[in-house]
Amino acid sequence: MRTITVAATQMACTPDSSTNLANAEAMVRQAASQGAQIILLQELFETLYFCIDQEARYNNLAQPLTGHSWLPRFQALARELDVVLPVSFFERAGQTQFNSVAVIDADGSMLGVYRKMHIPDGPGYTEKYYFSPGDSGFPVWQTRYARIGLGICWDQWFPEAARSFALGGAEILLYPSAIGTEPHDNSLQSADHWQMVQRGHAAANLLPVVSSNRIGMEHGKYWANTFHGRSFIAGPEGELVAEASADQQEILTASFDLAALAAKRRAWGVFRDRRPEYYGALTTLDGKDPVTGKIGQR
């Protein structure tokens, strides 16, 4: 057996950065006291979700990894508590910016940065205004407790990303999120869909999935988003192991035997029976096979 305990968290954010950082730290401490070894905080928790609007002043929130003002605080926290912390932040890099996660190991060391690969753009979620598409690919991080695959919010809608993490040897998939209502159309309710697609990644790859979302209503100049909450942990068959409410600050934990799950993945056959030589259409935007030029076939 190689059993580890993971945690998903959710909280409301305020206009005050110091309040949000203190709240996030308190949640990490509480999760660690409950036995969690890998603790997932939500996307861009330092501030309100500024991507509701397109305003150049918010670009000033971005900070480079080197010399960052508050990431060392979470490195020290990880070292103190012996926990792995993927920490979302608005990254400035050269002349551009990324929606990023710093991967902090249980000794406080910085393993590296994942940059969000898929960038959404729609009313209330105008992320293309602020973030360049990530250039990190889909790395798998060897932490003290497990090999983790880490996507960010919109990444979680893409099965190609989840499969890439799985093929890279990930033992757990983690998705920090910021998703809620669609302010231009109240008839669109994506919370169930949001959960189901990620549970599909768990089932298709026989991997636990941990997803942390924010809660509360946040107002921009033209739109307002009510975030879904409903953070959850799914098991390797897509089963819902733990789920948070839609509107309360909460911490969820679950334990998994990674050795048993590794054996299950090898026995089940979904990786043995893959046919990558016929998946060429997945490498193009329009679905045309790069060899034949035909859509979806050779």
Side-chain angles (χ1 to χ4, degrees):
M1 294 180 64
R2 186 161 69 90
T3 301
I4 70 156
T5 300
V6 297
T9 68
Q10 68 178 32
M11 68 184 202
C13 294
T14 77
D16 181 64
S17 174
S18 61
T19 297
N20 299 329
L21 294 174
N23 197 12
E25 178 178 337
M27 296 196 79
V28 169
R29 291 186 179 279
Q30 184 179 344
S33 73
Q34 296 174 14
Q37 297 158 292
I38 300 176
I39 302 169
L40 184 64
L41 295 163
Q42 65 209 39
E43 183 184 17
L44 298 173
F45 62 85
E46 180 199 0
T47 63
L48 296 174
Y49 181 72
F50 53 87
C51 307
I52 292 176
D53 294 318
Q54 296 183 10
E55 294 198 41
R57 62 190 175 96
Y58 291 133
N59 290 321
N60 295 325
L61 296 172
Q63 296 186 53
L65 180 65
T66 302
H68 196 279
S69 65
W70 55 263
L71 281 176
R73 172 180 182 174
F74 286 85
Q75 290 182 267
L77 184 64
R79 183 167 54 249
E80 175 192 345
L81 300 176
D82 291 323
V83 296
V84 173
L85 292 179
V87 179
S88 175
F89 73 108
F90 186 11
E91 183 189 8
R92 179 176 177 181
Q95 298 302 311
T96 194
Q97 296 149 181
F98 296 97
N99 186 338
S100 299
V101 167
V103 184
I104 302 172
D105 208 355
D107 61 357
S109 62
M110 185 73 67
L111 297 181
V113 170
Y114 171 76
R115 292 168 169 169
K116 187 172 183 176
M117 295 290 287
H118 305 94
I119 309 298
D121 187 39
Y125 302 91
T126 61
E127 294 197 15
K128 280 186 167 67
Y129 181 78
Y130 297 101
F131 310 126
S132 292
D135 55 3
S136 56
F138 302 106
V140 171
W141 307 94
Q142 178 65 65
T143 72
R144 178 182 296 180
Y145 302 115
R147 295 187 301 276
I148 62 173
L150 178 74
I152 303 174
C153 204
W154 192 230
D155 289 331
Q156 66 209 357
W157 294 87
F158 294 86
E160 300 90 342
R163 180 53 57 91
S164 294
F165 291 132
L167 290 172
E171 297 173 296
I172 301 171
L173 302 180
L174 301 105
Y175 294 104
S177 304
I179 184 172
T181 51
E182 303 295 332
H184 66 293
D185 187 349
N186 290 332
S187 70
L188 296 176
Q189 299 296 327
S190 60
D192 289 342
H193 188 187
W194 170 75
Q195 278 195 357
M196 194 61 69
V197 72
Q198 293 173 86
R199 291 172 62 185
H201 300 332
N205 295 290
L206 288 91
L207 292 172
V209 166
V210 183
S211 188
S212 293
N213 194 23
R214 65 173 63 200
I215 55 173
M217 175 178 282
E218 298 184 20
H219 294 270
K221 184 181 294 185
Y222 305 108
W223 307 106
N225 294 351
T226 300
F227 292 95
H228 291 320
R230 295 184 62 184
S231 301
F232 69 95
I233 301 172
E237 296 180 7
E239 72 274 25
L240 199 58
V241 174
E243 180 184 15
S245 68
D247 57 4
Q248 298 297 310
Q249 179 165 301
E250 293 184 52
I251 296 169
L252 309 172
T253 62
S255 298
F256 299 97
D257 180 350
L258 299 184
L261 293 184
K264 186 173 185 175
R265 281 192 296 277
R266 293 184 69 85
W268 195 246
V270 294
F271 297 100
R272 179 197 64 207
D273 296 336
R274 294 179 64 252
R275 302 297 306 278
E277 68 272 29
Y278 293 104
Y279 300 160
L282 296 179
T283 67
T284 63
L285 284 173
D286 62 4
K288 288 183 179 179
D289 186 280
V291 176
T292 67
K294 297 180 180 179
I295 293 180
Q297 60 180 324
R298 284 194 173 274

PDB file of all heavy atoms in Angstrom, residues 258-275:
ATOM      1  N   LEU A 258      -2.197   4.572  -3.833  1.00  0.00           N
ATOM      2  CA  LEU A 258      -1.653   4.793  -5.170  1.00  0.00           C
ATOM      3  C   LEU A 258      -1.080   3.517  -5.780  1.00  0.00           C
ATOM      4  O   LEU A 258      -1.110   3.344  -7.001  1.00  0.00           O
ATOM      5  CB  LEU A 258      -0.583   5.883  -5.120  1.00  0.00           C
ATOM      6  CG  LEU A 258      -1.063   7.262  -4.652  1.00  0.00           C
ATOM      7  CD1 LEU A 258       0.071   8.272  -4.736  1.00  0.00           C
ATOM      8  CD2 LEU A 258      -2.265   7.737  -5.471  1.00  0.00           C
ATOM      9  N   ALA A 259      -0.554   2.626  -4.950  1.00  0.00           N
ATOM     10  CA  ALA A 259      -0.024   1.363  -5.471  1.00  0.00           C
ATOM     11  C   ALA A 259      -1.140   0.510  -6.052  1.00  0.00           C
ATOM     12  O   ALA A 259      -1.003  -0.071  -7.139  1.00  0.00           O
ATOM     13  CB  ALA A 259       0.712   0.607  -4.369  1.00  0.00           C
ATOM     14  N   ALA A 260      -2.259   0.448  -5.353  1.00  0.00           N
ATOM     15  CA  ALA A 260      -3.392  -0.328  -5.854  1.00  0.00           C
ATOM     16  C   ALA A 260      -3.943   0.277  -7.137  1.00  0.00           C
ATOM     17  O   ALA A 260      -4.323  -0.454  -8.066  1.00  0.00           O
ATOM     18  CB  ALA A 260      -4.483  -0.402  -4.789  1.00  0.00           C
ATOM     19  N   LEU A 261      -3.984   1.597  -7.210  1.00  0.00           N
ATOM     20  CA  LEU A 261      -4.501   2.246  -8.417  1.00  0.00           C
ATOM     21  C   LEU A 261      -3.558   2.038  -9.599  1.00  0.00           C
ATOM     22  O   LEU A 261      -4.016   1.898 -10.741  1.00  0.00           O
ATOM     23  CB  LEU A 261      -4.717   3.733  -8.159  1.00  0.00           C
ATOM     24  CG  LEU A 261      -5.822   4.089  -7.168  1.00  0.00           C
ATOM     25  CD1 LEU A 261      -5.991   5.597  -7.073  1.00  0.00           C
ATOM     26  CD2 LEU A 261      -7.137   3.423  -7.553  1.00  0.00           C
ATOM     27  N   ALA A 262      -2.256   2.029  -9.349  1.00  0.00           N
ATOM     28  CA  ALA A 262      -1.303   1.767 -10.432  1.00  0.00           C
ATOM     29  C   ALA A 262      -1.518   0.371 -11.009  1.00  0.00           C
ATOM     30  O   ALA A 262      -1.502   0.169 -12.226  1.00  0.00           O
ATOM     31  CB  ALA A 262       0.125   1.925  -9.925  1.00  0.00           C
ATOM     32  N   ALA A 263      -1.731  -0.590 -10.131  1.00  0.00           N
ATOM     33  CA  ALA A 263      -1.991  -1.955 -10.595  1.00  0.00           C
ATOM     34  C   ALA A 263      -3.295  -2.028 -11.371  1.00  0.00           C
ATOM     35  O   ALA A 263      -3.399  -2.735 -12.387  1.00  0.00           O
ATOM     36  CB  ALA A 263      -2.030  -2.904  -9.395  1.00  0.00           C
ATOM     37  N   LYS A 264      -4.279  -1.286 -10.926  1.00  0.00           N
ATOM     38  CA  LYS A 264      -5.577  -1.286 -11.608  1.00  0.00           C
ATOM     39  C   LYS A 264      -5.454  -0.693 -13.012  1.00  0.00           C
ATOM     40  O   LYS A 264      -6.048  -1.213 -13.971  1.00  0.00           O
ATOM     41  CB  LYS A 264      -6.583  -0.504 -10.773  1.00  0.00           C
ATOM     42  CG  LYS A 264      -8.006  -0.540 -11.303  1.00  0.00           C
ATOM     43  CD  LYS A 264      -8.952   0.111 -10.312  1.00  0.00           C
ATOM     44  CE  LYS A 264     -10.397  -0.014 -10.764  1.00  0.00           C
ATOM     45  NZ  LYS A 264     -11.351   0.514  -9.753  1.00  0.00           N
ATOM     46  N   ARG A 265      -4.687   0.386 -13.150  1.00  0.00           N
ATOM     47  CA  ARG A 265      -4.513   0.995 -14.478  1.00  0.00           C
ATOM     48  C   ARG A 265      -3.849   0.016 -15.446  1.00  0.00           C
ATOM     49  O   ARG A 265      -4.220  -0.073 -16.608  1.00  0.00           O
ATOM     50  CB  ARG A 265      -3.683   2.282 -14.364  1.00  0.00           C
ATOM     51  CG  ARG A 265      -4.475   3.478 -13.883  1.00  0.00           C
ATOM     52  CD  ARG A 265      -3.698   4.780 -14.066  1.00  0.00           C
ATOM     53  NE  ARG A 265      -2.476   4.822 -13.263  1.00  0.00           N
ATOM     54  CZ  ARG A 265      -2.431   5.173 -11.980  1.00  0.00           C
ATOM     55  NH1 ARG A 265      -3.547   5.485 -11.337  1.00  0.00           N
ATOM     56  NH2 ARG A 265      -1.281   5.210 -11.327  1.00  0.00           N
ATOM     57  N   ARG A 266      -2.863  -0.720 -14.960  1.00  0.00           N
ATOM     58  CA  ARG A 266      -2.164  -1.659 -15.832  1.00  0.00           C
ATOM     59  C   ARG A 266      -3.058  -2.823 -16.220  1.00  0.00           C
ATOM     60  O   ARG A 266      -2.982  -3.343 -17.342  1.00  0.00           O
ATOM     61  CB  ARG A 266      -0.893  -2.163 -15.152  1.00  0.00           C
ATOM     62  CG  ARG A 266       0.157  -1.086 -14.957  1.00  0.00           C
ATOM     63  CD  ARG A 266       1.440  -1.638 -14.365  1.00  0.00           C
ATOM     64  NE  ARG A 266       2.135  -2.484 -15.318  1.00  0.00           N
ATOM     65  CZ  ARG A 266       2.980  -2.037 -16.257  1.00  0.00           C
ATOM     66  NH1 ARG A 266       3.207  -0.741 -16.370  1.00  0.00           N
ATOM     67  NH2 ARG A 266       3.578  -2.878 -17.071  1.00  0.00           N
ATOM     68  N   ALA A 267      -3.937  -3.215 -15.309  1.00  0.00           N
ATOM     69  CA  ALA A 267      -4.808  -4.359 -15.583  1.00  0.00           C
ATOM     70  C   ALA A 267      -5.985  -4.009 -16.476  1.00  0.00           C
ATOM     71  O   ALA A 267      -6.487  -4.857 -17.215  1.00  0.00           O
ATOM     72  CB  ALA A 267      -5.317  -4.939 -14.257  1.00  0.00           C
ATOM     73  N   TRP A 268      -6.438  -2.763 -16.416  1.00  0.00           N
ATOM     74  CA  TRP A 268      -7.687  -2.404 -17.093  1.00  0.00           C
ATOM     75  C   TRP A 268      -7.543  -2.330 -18.606  1.00  0.00           C
ATOM     76  O   TRP A 268      -8.482  -2.582 -19.343  1.00  0.00           O
ATOM     77  CB  TRP A 268      -8.213  -1.086 -16.523  1.00  0.00           C
ATOM     78  CG  TRP A 268      -9.635  -0.817 -16.880  1.00  0.00           C
ATOM     79  CD1 TRP A 268     -10.124   0.183 -17.672  1.00  0.00           C
ATOM     80  CD2 TRP A 268     -10.785  -1.561 -16.455  1.00  0.00           C
ATOM     81  NE1 TRP A 268     -11.490   0.117 -17.766  1.00  0.00           N
ATOM     82  CE2 TRP A 268     -11.921  -0.959 -17.026  1.00  0.00           C
ATOM     83  CE3 TRP A 268     -10.964  -2.701 -15.651  1.00  0.00           C
ATOM     84  CZ2 TRP A 268     -13.214  -1.455 -16.823  1.00  0.00           C
ATOM     85  CZ3 TRP A 268     -12.242  -3.182 -15.444  1.00  0.00           C
ATOM     86  CH2 TRP A 268     -13.340  -2.545 -16.033  1.00  0.00           C
ATOM     87  N   GLY A 269      -6.393  -1.932 -19.106  1.00  0.00           N
ATOM     88  CA  GLY A 269      -6.133  -2.026 -20.543  1.00  0.00           C
ATOM     89  C   GLY A 269      -6.332  -0.766 -21.355  1.00  0.00           C
ATOM     90  O   GLY A 269      -6.074  -0.772 -22.556  1.00  0.00           O
ATOM     91  N   VAL A 270      -6.786   0.340 -20.753  1.00  0.00           N
ATOM     92  CA  VAL A 270      -7.048   1.531 -21.572  1.00  0.00           C
ATOM     93  C   VAL A 270      -5.765   2.160 -22.096  1.00  0.00           C
ATOM     94  O   VAL A 270      -5.787   2.891 -23.089  1.00  0.00           O
ATOM     95  CB  VAL A 270      -7.874   2.585 -20.800  1.00  0.00           C
ATOM     96  CG1 VAL A 270      -9.269   2.069 -20.510  1.00  0.00           C
ATOM     97  CG2 VAL A 270      -7.181   3.008 -19.513  1.00  0.00           C
ATOM     98  N   PHE A 271      -4.636   1.881 -21.458  1.00  0.00           N
ATOM     99  CA  PHE A 271      -3.368   2.370 -21.984  1.00  0.00           C
ATOM    100  C   PHE A 271      -2.722   1.325 -22.904  1.00  0.00           C
ATOM    101  O   PHE A 271      -2.126   1.677 -23.923  1.00  0.00           O
ATOM    102  CB  PHE A 271      -2.432   2.744 -20.828  1.00  0.00           C
ATOM    103  CG  PHE A 271      -2.980   3.868 -19.993  1.00  0.00           C
ATOM    104  CD1 PHE A 271      -3.610   3.619 -18.786  1.00  0.00           C
ATOM    105  CD2 PHE A 271      -2.901   5.178 -20.435  1.00  0.00           C
ATOM    106  CE1 PHE A 271      -4.134   4.653 -18.024  1.00  0.00           C
ATOM    107  CE2 PHE A 271      -3.423   6.221 -19.694  1.00  0.00           C
ATOM    108  CZ  PHE A 271      -4.047   5.951 -18.489  1.00  0.00           C
ATOM    109  N   ARG A 272      -2.883   0.078 -22.580  1.00  0.00           N
ATOM    110  CA  ARG A 272      -2.356  -0.997 -23.437  1.00  0.00           C
ATOM    111  C   ARG A 272      -2.965  -0.956 -24.827  1.00  0.00           C
ATOM    112  O   ARG A 272      -2.285  -1.185 -25.837  1.00  0.00           O
ATOM    113  CB  ARG A 272      -2.664  -2.349 -22.784  1.00  0.00           C
ATOM    114  CG  ARG A 272      -2.201  -3.563 -23.585  1.00  0.00           C
ATOM    115  CD  ARG A 272      -2.899  -4.820 -23.094  1.00  0.00           C
ATOM    116  NE  ARG A 272      -4.350  -4.737 -23.317  1.00  0.00           N
ATOM    117  CZ  ARG A 272      -5.265  -5.382 -22.588  1.00  0.00           C
ATOM    118  NH1 ARG A 272      -4.877  -6.138 -21.576  1.00  0.00           N
ATOM    119  NH2 ARG A 272      -6.536  -5.268 -22.867  1.00  0.00           N
ATOM    120  N   ASP A 273      -4.260  -0.657 -24.926  1.00  0.00           N
ATOM    121  CA  ASP A 273      -4.983  -0.787 -26.192  1.00  0.00           C
ATOM    122  C   ASP A 273      -5.126   0.513 -26.967  1.00  0.00           C
ATOM    123  O   ASP A 273      -5.890   0.578 -27.940  1.00  0.00           O
ATOM    124  CB  ASP A 273      -6.378  -1.378 -25.920  1.00  0.00           C
ATOM    125  CG  ASP A 273      -6.295  -2.782 -25.359  1.00  0.00           C
ATOM    126  OD1 ASP A 273      -5.274  -3.458 -25.600  1.00  0.00           O
ATOM    127  OD2 ASP A 273      -7.237  -3.209 -24.675  1.00  0.00           O
ATOM    128  N   ARG A 274      -4.396   1.527 -26.581  1.00  0.00           N
ATOM    129  CA  ARG A 274      -4.435   2.782 -27.343  1.00  0.00           C
ATOM    130  C   ARG A 274      -3.870   2.571 -28.751  1.00  0.00           C
ATOM    131  O   ARG A 274      -3.012   1.716 -28.967  1.00  0.00           O
ATOM    132  CB  ARG A 274      -3.639   3.874 -26.620  1.00  0.00           C
ATOM    133  CG  ARG A 274      -4.239   4.293 -25.284  1.00  0.00           C
ATOM    134  CD  ARG A 274      -3.385   5.364 -24.601  1.00  0.00           C
ATOM    135  NE  ARG A 274      -3.382   6.579 -25.404  1.00  0.00           N
ATOM    136  CZ  ARG A 274      -2.344   7.019 -26.113  1.00  0.00           C
ATOM    137  NH1 ARG A 274      -1.201   6.341 -26.129  1.00  0.00           N
ATOM    138  NH2 ARG A 274      -2.422   8.131 -26.817  1.00  0.00           N
ATOM    139  N   ARG A 275      -4.348   3.384 -29.725  1.00  0.00           N
ATOM    140  CA  ARG A 275      -3.881   3.310 -31.113  1.00  0.00           C
ATOM    141  C   ARG A 275      -3.387   4.679 -31.570  1.00  0.00           C
ATOM    142  O   ARG A 275      -3.994   5.337 -32.421  1.00  0.00           O
ATOM    143  CB  ARG A 275      -5.002   2.815 -32.033  1.00  0.00           C
ATOM    144  CG  ARG A 275      -5.563   1.440 -31.658  1.00  0.00           C
ATOM    145  CD  ARG A 275      -4.503   0.341 -31.771  1.00  0.00           C
ATOM    146  NE  ARG A 275      -3.872   0.301 -33.082  1.00  0.00           N
ATOM    147  CZ  ARG A 275      -4.396  -0.302 -34.160  1.00  0.00           C
ATOM    148  NH1 ARG A 275      -5.570  -0.924 -34.076  1.00  0.00           N
ATOM    149  NH2 ARG A 275      -3.763  -0.295 -35.298  1.00  0.00           N
TER     150      ARG A 275
END
